[in-house]
């Protein structure tokens, strides 16, 4: 009978670490879908330069996906090794700040769309 | 050994909670973020899709949705910090105080859209 390497065993029977990584991934996918629609819509209404904002947003969503994966690999190793979670609030703050700035851009967008020229 | 993780206001106090609670706190944060994204999407969509609703009411409803998205995103950070700190200090967690405000806002915006549909 082969012994499973401790790093390959889940830390928690409820798979909390894995579920949290999936929650990050769901959020990145939601961001990616929103940005993809934004690219198309901005290109149609405002031109290529505006579509670039959507591309930048898509790149940020991809970066968050990668950062979250790295973060969770490290968290998993820390948890199976000595039961402590070593993650911090940097990615959390970054995501909250990004969403707020996209909302501000959204307010500008609907103001531009509505303004009765 | 002092904990130097960001933010200090959270990690500088108390002790390590059960890691599963911290992970659950993060998932709650992400749920609020996805709520903010959905509100933002609705706010932009009603304007971008040029739905047949009286333009000024449609615009105000859109502003309300996006303002609620800002509130939800800001709250997601505040609640994550507050909950993480409460867990570290062994205190009870606060309830989602902002839920009622967001519900009222969404109802008001939908009311505006319904009225605008008939004008």
């Amino acid at each position: 009978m082969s012994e499973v390497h401790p790093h390959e065993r889940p830390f928690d029977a409820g798979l909390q670490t894995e579920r949290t990584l999936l929650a990050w991934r769901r959020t990145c996918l939601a961001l990616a879908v929103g940005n993809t629609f934004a690219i198309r819509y901005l290109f149609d209404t405002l031109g290529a330069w505006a579509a670039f904002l959507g591309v930048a947003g898509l790149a940020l969503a991809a970066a968050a996906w990668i950062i979250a994966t790295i973060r969770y690999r490290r968290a998993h190793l820390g948890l199976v090794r000595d039961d402590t979670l070593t993650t911090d609030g940097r990615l959390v703050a970054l995501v909250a700040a990004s969403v707020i700035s996209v909302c501000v851009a959204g307010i500008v967008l609907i103001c531009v769309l509505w303004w009765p020229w | 050994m002092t904990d130097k993780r960001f933010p200090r206001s959270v990690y500088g106090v108390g002790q390590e909670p059960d890691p599963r609670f911290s992970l659950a706190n993060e998932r709650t944060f992400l749920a609020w973020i996805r709520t903010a994204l959905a509100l933002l999407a609705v706010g932009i969509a009603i304007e971008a899709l040029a739905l047949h609703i009286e333009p000024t009411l449609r615009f105000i409803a859109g502003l309300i949705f996006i303002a609620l998205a800002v509130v939800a995103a800001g709250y997601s950070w505040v609640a994550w910090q507050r909950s993480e700190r409460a867990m570290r200090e062994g205190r009870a967690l606060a309830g989602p105080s902002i839920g009622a405000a967001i519900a009222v806002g969404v109802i008001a915006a939908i009311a505006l859209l319904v009225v605008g549909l008939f004008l």
Side-chain angles (χ1 to χ4, degrees), chain A residues 79-101:
Chain A
L79 286 169
V80 293
R81 205 172 282 145
D82 49 24
D83 263 6
T84 52
L85 191 60
T86 51
T87 53
D88 63 14
R90 284 173 303 168
L91 187 58
V92 173
L94 175 65
V95 167
S98 308
V99 171
I100 290 177
S101 48

Side-chain angles (χ1 to χ4, degrees), chain B residues 73-97:
Chain B
Y75 180 75
S76 71
W77 166 251
V78 166
W80 178 84
Q81 263 203 318
R82 216 165 53 178
S83 297
E84 199 69 28
R85 197 163 40 222
M87 290 188 300
R88 294 182 73 86
E89 295 176 339
R91 290 183 284 110
L93 298 178
S97 46

Side-chain angles (χ1 to χ4, degrees), chain B residues 22-104:
Chain B
S22 295
L23 292 170
N25 192 19
E26 252 185 65
R27 291 199 300 280
T28 307
F29 163 77
L30 291 170
W32 275 109
I33 287 290
R34 288 194 301 277
T35 304
L37 291 174
L39 289 166
L40 172 67
V42 171
I44 293 180
I46 55 178
E47 199 62 40
L49 296 177
L51 300 177
H52 289 294
I53 296 172
E54 205 278 317
T56 307
L57 291 181
R58 193 178 68 199
F59 171 68
I60 296 175
L63 275 184
I64 293 176
F65 277 118
I66 302 183
L68 289 176
V70 173
V71 166
Y75 180 75
S76 71
W77 166 251
V78 166
W80 178 84
Q81 263 203 318
R82 216 165 53 178
S83 297
E84 199 69 28
R85 197 163 40 222
M87 290 188 300
R88 294 182 73 86
E89 295 176 339
R91 290 183 284 110
L93 298 178
S97 46
I98 217 81
I102 292 183
V104 165

Side-chain angles (χ1 to χ4, degrees), chain A residues 5-81:
Chain A
H5 191 284
H7 293 182
E8 287 163 3
R9 219 181 290 127
F11 159 72
D12 158 53
L15 297 176
Q16 286 245 2
T17 325
E18 291 72 15
R19 284 167 59 198
T20 312
L21 175 58
L22 285 174
W24 279 104
R25 289 182 163 172
R26 279 203 294 285
T27 310
C28 291
L29 285 173
L31 281 168
V33 167
N35 276 294
T36 309
F37 278 109
I39 292 174
R40 174 59 190 274
Y41 177 74
L42 289 171
F43 185 79
D44 285 347
T45 52
L46 295 175
W49 66 269
F52 178 72
L53 291 172
V55 174
L58 207 53
L60 281 178
W65 177 289
I66 293 170
I67 293 173
T69 305
I70 294 173
R71 192 158 174 269
Y72 272 88
R73 290 229 178 98
R74 273 201 213 126
H76 171 74
L77 286 176
L79 286 169
V80 293
R81 205 172 282 145

